[in-house]
Amino acid sequence: MEPGSVENLSIVYRSRDFLVVNKHWDVRIDSKAWRETLTLQKQLRHRFPELADPDTCYGFRFCHQLDFSTSGALCVALNKAAAGSAYRCFKERRVTKVYLALVRGHVQESRMTISYAIGRSSTEGRAHTMCVEGTLGCENPKPSLTELVVLEHGLYAGDPVSKVLLQPLTGRTHQLRVHCSAIGHPVVGDLTYGQATAREEQPFRMMLHALYLCVPTPAERVEACTPDPFLPALDACWSPRALVHPLDQLVQALRDAPTGKGSRPDSPTPHLPGPGRPPPPPPEPPETEAQRASCLQWLAEWTLEPDN
């Protein structure tokens, strides 16, 4: 696969108010470190110098985050009003995000809801990592839900793997990677949560990709589906053997979900289709003063003034 460069930025959605980019793997969104030779911020400045806003810290208003190692759909607001509108969608849980992953082993259940609570690890040597409740040193675990649908079973470099679709119904740090590891099927190439073995040297990247994003703002439905990067034609190490659920049908069902224009502002995030209904996401605890202060600081820089 072609490594990231300042020139090869892929745009999958563009309007007057928003861009959705297909972020390259192993590229940071932004950085103040002089040694960071390539960031999404630099790619955007190179491609769209006329859109950079000098009133912001990084020139562009990133509506959410993707890990350094994760590729895929990332929404960028092009003005203050758009950023505020997107922020409210995220805060009210009306955004739909769906990821593709290759995970170790053959997942036996074709569909499951993973519900391990996630907290921060205080174990020595595990700084800045997360863990599931019950793990030694797990601090302040919070309820977390992820839907998983198996797409294919196959082999990666000769080892059994599953291609899965993942939908986070809560937004914890590293949630998808932690949940996959917790059920014994870590993401291929995840050196932090992947129970590293010699096999983890084989992948050229972590196999987690933000496939689909829908941000139903009042003014427009910001919707984008990025290309599937986990295909044998792109990576000869991946060899699918058995189809379980067709990806195209699942994505089309998400596209047909009644969000955005014409839907109620409090419409719930659509879930991945399939038999049965997953439990609703757990209620968030009341906002603390520290969280409120952090929110106000974010709003002051990136968005409209918060509603009273």
Side-chain angles (χ1 to χ4, degrees), residues 290-303 306:
Q291 289 171 331
R292 175 66 175 167
S294 176
C295 170
L296 289 173
Q297 182 180 357
W298 190 92
L299 287 165
E301 180 172 357
W302 299 112
T303 72

Side-chain angles (χ1 to χ4, degrees), residues 27-286:
V27 170
R28 299 191 191 283
I29 294 175
D30 47 48
S31 176
K32 293 182 179 179
W34 62 270
R35 64 183 178 276
E36 203 69 52
T37 57
L38 179 65
T39 63
L40 179 55
Q41 170 202 5
K42 290 182 180 179
Q43 290 179 310
L44 286 166
R45 281 187 177 275
H46 178 80
R47 180 81 168 271
F48 303 106
E50 74 282 3
L51 298 181
D53 187 342
D55 293 333
T56 66
C57 181
Y58 295 109
F60 293 88
R61 298 175 171 89
F62 302 110
C63 298
H64 55 115
Q65 298 287 317
L66 285 179
D67 290 345
F68 165 73
S69 300
T70 303
S71 59
L74 182 71
C75 185
V76 183
L78 298 180
N79 55 68
K80 210 169 187 180
S85 180
Y87 173 82
R88 283 186 282 273
C89 287
F90 277 94
K91 186 174 182 181
E92 295 165 7
R93 286 183 170 178
R94 291 189 286 115
V95 174
T96 305
K97 294 189 290 183
V98 177
Y99 294 72
L100 274 177
L102 295 182
V103 299
R104 293 286 180 193
H106 288 164
V107 182
Q108 295 305 305
E109 295 183 54
S110 65
R111 179 190 181 115
M112 68 173 71
T113 299
I114 309 169
S115 58
Y116 291 101
I118 294 176
R120 190 167 297 278
S121 177
S122 63
T123 304
E124 186 177 356
R126 299 288 294 177
H128 311 297
T129 65
M130 311 301 287
C131 53
V132 296
E133 188 173 21
T135 304
L136 182 65
C138 187
E139 295 183 342
N140 192 28
K142 296 179 180 178
S144 308
L145 283 179
T146 298
E147 283 193 75
L148 181 152
V149 177
V150 177
L151 301 173
E152 294 176 289
H153 289 148
L155 301 174
Y156 191 88
D159 293 322
V161 299
S162 302
K163 185 175 182 176
V164 299
L165 208 57
L166 300 165
Q167 182 178 12
L169 301 183
T170 50
R172 312 303 178 204
T173 301
H174 298 174
Q175 176 175 318
L176 300 181
R177 298 162 62 188
V178 173
H179 270 172
C180 287
S181 180
I183 63 171
H185 297 283
V187 176
V188 174
D190 186 350
L191 302 182
T192 301
Y193 302 104
Q195 304 158 6
T197 67
R199 295 179 306 176
E200 295 294 349
E201 297 175 3
Q202 179 64 45
F204 61 93
R205 57 161 292 181
M206 184 176 73
M207 302 299 179
L208 181 62
H209 175 77
L211 177 77
Y212 174 86
L213 175 70
C214 181
V215 187
T217 73
E220 66 180 289
R221 175 179 168 124
V222 180
E223 183 179 37
C225 189
T226 59
D228 178 359
F230 306 139
L231 299 174
L234 300 176
D235 185 356
C237 289
W238 162 233
S239 176
R241 297 297 176 89
L243 177 67
V244 181
H245 287 108
L247 176 59
D248 290 348
Q249 292 181 12
L250 295 173
V251 171
Q252 188 58 50
L254 288 167
R255 288 186 178 278
D256 294 339
T259 60
K261 289 184 178 180
S263 66
R264 292 171 47 195
D266 60 348
S267 296
T269 298
H271 295 159
L272 292 171
R277 290 193 58 81
E284 291 287 347

